[in-house]
């Protein structure tokens, strides 16, 4: 069916993305981290620092990449086994669509976890489940953000966390189909306070050019107390122009 075909294409594309990350570093999607290994060889350099590399057998990096792709294909096969009639159930079709999209993100996270976290070793990471690796990478990125020294490094580290959490696609000033930037969208959706703080740390503008805070207005109108508290911590403007309040959530 269409879903399986799309999933197969995604798996094939993921294989290419993983190879690109192994060569250059970064996340394979944007410029985040692209300069980590000038001239290429990110995986080779990381393997040279991995004390378990010699125990991992021949071509451990190739084995890691193939294992990741194999885990993606295993998930694909589980989707192909679903009875087509089950797609009529919105809950089933939505779960499968989300799983398909998450699979690629988790696959990238597994490789990045080993490349970027010096406490993780290839001999162990190779057998980790994809979802587990994504959780570990997000934790590592969050810890790295808290240790960043310069303001520029802090913003870059926080942006990497936002991308890993799915709160930002690539840039902190991008907008969705409703014209909302990541902070406004997260506030309107009732995101966790920790996500709000991380988006702000990544450089999101809390207040607009007119002095009002669209994010705070959306959070207040929807009653998201935790979001409101996080935005007030970030010095969101409390007083908003009356026309913005009257505009409902379309601030």
């Amino acid at each position: 069916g269409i879903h399986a075909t799309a999933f197969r294409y995604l798996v094939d594309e993921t294989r290419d993305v993983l190879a690109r990350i192994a060569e250059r570093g970064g996340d394979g999607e944007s410029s985040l981290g692209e300069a980590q290994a000038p001239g290429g060889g990110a995986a080779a350099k990381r393997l040279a620092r991995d004390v378990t590399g010699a125990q991992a057998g021949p071509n451990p990096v190739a084995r890691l990449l193939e294992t990741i792709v194999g885990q993606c294909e295993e998930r694909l096969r589980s989707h192909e086994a679903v009875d087509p009639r089950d797609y009529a159930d919105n809950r089933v079709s939505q779960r499968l669509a989300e799983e398909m999209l998450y699979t690629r993100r988790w696959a990238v996270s597994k490789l990045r976890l080993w490349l970027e976290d010096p406490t993780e070793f290839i001999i162990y990471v190779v057998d980790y489940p994809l979802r587990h690796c994504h959780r570990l990478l997000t934790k590592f990125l969050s810890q790295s953000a808290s240790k960043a020294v310069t303001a520029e490094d802090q913003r870059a580290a926080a942006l990497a966390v936002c991308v890993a959490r799915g709160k930002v696609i690539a840039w902190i000033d991008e907008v969705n189909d409703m014209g909302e930037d990541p902070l406004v969208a997260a506030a309107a959706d009732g995101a966790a306070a920790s996500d709000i703080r991380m988006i702000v740390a990544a450089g999101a503008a809390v207040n607009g050019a007119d002095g009002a805070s669209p994010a705070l207005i959306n959070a207040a109108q929807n009653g998201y107390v935790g979001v409101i508290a996080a935005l007030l911590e970030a010095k969101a403007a409390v007083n908003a122009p009356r026309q913005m309040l009257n505009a409902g959530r379309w601030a």
Side-chain angles (χ1 to χ4, degrees), residues 1-50:
I2 296 176
H3 175 82
T5 300
F7 204 158
R8 168 56 63 186
Y9 176 82
L10 183 143
V11 171
D12 291 341
E13 188 179 56
T14 298
R15 185 190 298 273
D16 294 336
V17 170
L18 292 173
R20 186 161 64 246
I21 295 173
E23 180 67 15
R24 305 179 191 172
D27 62 3
E29 300 290 349
S30 67
S31 61
L32 293 176
E34 285 285 332
Q36 287 181 5
K45 293 177 181 179
R46 174 67 179 94
L47 185 63
R49 300 191 303 271
D50 189 326

Side-chain angles (χ1 to χ4, degrees), residues 148-235:
V149 177
T150 68
E152 182 178 357
D153 287 346
Q154 290 172 349
R155 286 193 294 271
L159 178 59
V161 176
C162 292
V163 172
R165 291 181 180 176
K167 299 304 176 184
V168 174
I169 297 175
W171 309 109
I172 200 61
D173 56 355
E174 65 197 23
V175 296
N176 61 18
D177 60 307
M178 292 175 61
E180 300 169 332
D181 63 37
L183 183 60
V184 173
D189 291 338
S194 59
D195 287 331
I196 297 296
R197 295 188 183 97
M198 197 61 70
I199 295 172
V200 171
V206 178
N207 298 311
D210 58 359
S213 174
L216 182 61
I217 293 170
N218 275 277
Q221 290 172 337
N222 289 300
Y224 296 132
V225 178
V227 174
I228 293 171
L231 289 170
L232 291 178
E233 288 175 12
K235 310 300 182 185

Side-chain angles (χ1 to χ4, degrees), residues 210-215 217 221 240-251:
D210 58 359
S213 174
I217 293 170
Q221 290 172 337
R242 182 176 298 276
Q243 62 268 28
M244 293 188 72
L245 292 173
N246 291 338
R249 63 178 296 171
W250 305 93

Side-chain angles (χ1 to χ4, degrees), residues 61-133:
V61 173
R63 180 185 169 216
L64 174 61
L65 297 180
E66 285 305 312
T67 298
I68 295 173
V69 173
Q71 289 173 312
C72 293
E73 290 177 334
E74 181 180 358
R75 192 170 293 274
L76 167 60
R77 287 192 292 272
S78 71
H79 282 216
E80 290 175 331
V82 174
D83 189 319
R85 291 170 294 185
D86 291 341
Y87 282 89
D89 186 327
N90 287 335
R91 293 169 299 181
V92 173
S93 58
Q94 181 176 351
R95 177 182 62 81
L96 294 174
E98 290 177 350
E99 257 191 18
M100 179 180 70
L101 296 176
Y102 287 148
T103 294
R104 171 165 170 172
R105 182 187 299 175
W106 297 339
V108 168
S109 292
K110 179 164 181 170
L111 178 55
R112 288 185 62 196
L113 175 68
W114 174 66
L115 286 175
E116 299 177 30
D117 187 345
T119 67
E120 294 291 348
F121 303 106
I122 195 167
I123 196 171
Y124 305 121
V125 173
V126 67
D127 293 322
Y128 287 173
L130 297 181
R131 187 193 297 262
H132 179 59
C133 289

